[in-house]
Amino acid sequence: MREYKTQMEAAKKGIITEEMKIVAKKEYLEPEKIMELVKKGEVAIPCNINHKSISPEGIGTGLRTKINVNLGISGDCKDYEMEMKKVDMAIKYGAEAIMDLSNYGKTNKFRTELIEKSPAMIGTVPMYDAIGYLEKDLLDITAEDFLRVVRAHASEGVDFMTIHAGINRRAVEAFMREGREMNIVSRGGSLLFAWMMMTGNENPFYEFYDDVLEILREYDVTISLGDALRPGCIADSTDAGQISELIELGNLTKRAWEKDVQVMVEGPGHMAMNEIEANMKLQKRICHNAPFYVLGPLVTDIAPGYDHITSAIGGAIAAASGADFLCYVTPAEHLRLPDIDDVKEGIMASKIAAHAADIAKNVPHARDKDNEMAKARHKVEWEDMFKVAMDEEKARRYFESVPPEDRHTCSMCGKMCAVRTTNLILEGKKVEFCSEL
Ligand code: SF4
């Protein structure tokens, strides 16, 4: 029996948990440092007591930027086997988190299988599942019903839950007064907004926030405070609705910490590049340095089919400016449920953004593999290059598809390989191109 309910409670009691030790090892930091950061709320270790297959990861200040992959069964695509293949791919390419966003039928079969097999942390949005789980229409769902769904996910072993507790009456009022191009683009946020407007009630996750926290505390579920009013186009970013909700999230962060519940805060959305850094600073300031989980930001609205790129640009700037956790975006964003190739493209784009930011942030050992790659390129050692490549299979396939005559070059410049030429000269040798033609 452990002497604490949550990682945060343990940290406050001065206990270094097994999970903290694992995170410390992965991050090349001392366990005491991790404990201090968890105590302050600057690092969260989402790790449900019932998720036995997890390999714990920390999210927050000074740690590697983590990425999340969204998956799940939808009404238009109920292929369980395919969703499991996507899970395998997410794990293979190093996603630290998988969010099950299933919103069709009895979702717990997929979720329990996922929790059983996944070393990655698992997140959910209980609001998506409410209608299917309770088999009730939105208007008939009561506040107590929503809490039942939260308890069900928590007891199954979900590590973090997106709860849109910040879209309360005050935030709705600011959003309605200001008006927007894209209104609400958060799925959970729009459902809550609809429920609040139809019933005339306050947001149940806000009104009964203490009860939600009690459930999360029991299983050590990290609350991921959802941003229902995140901008859905660059014209709506940093507006009154977004900032009003952010102020509520700052408040809710403190209340969760008082109950030793670990917190992450979710952020935009769509946003022009020049606004990203200020938004990251604002979030960290208002939410007391809680880990920041960004959903993009997509830096332009006009590239459907390429939104893994628009979001990787925004994600890299966001993470370099303080965001700790990136939600991947696939080329299928805004268009359809991603297929397995889209999932891979999304993962790679997001991993690149996270890694580029870690280099800029001087995260311990972030440059190690880049330095190894430089050495391998210097020697034109292809096998060494493939080994450190983020996507070894693709790098190898491209190289082998047009093999060079001389393996100390590639088919781009052939004998005029700049690396080969310089190496030969520095070795005191001559370079003669005509004799080699
Ligand atoms: S041939 Fe050109 S592109 Fe290929 S390794 Fe040499 S310098 Fe680089």
Side-chain angles (χ1 to χ4, degrees), residues 380 382 408-414 416-420:
V380 201
W382 293 102
H408 288 288
T409 68
C410 76
S411 52
M412 179 115 168
C413 333
M416 288 197 188
C417 172
V419 183
R420 177 180 172 270

Side-chain angles (χ1 to χ4, degrees), residues 232-244:
C233 62
I234 57 171
D236 289 341
S237 66
T238 328
D239 71 350
Q242 184 199 321
I243 301 303
S244 300

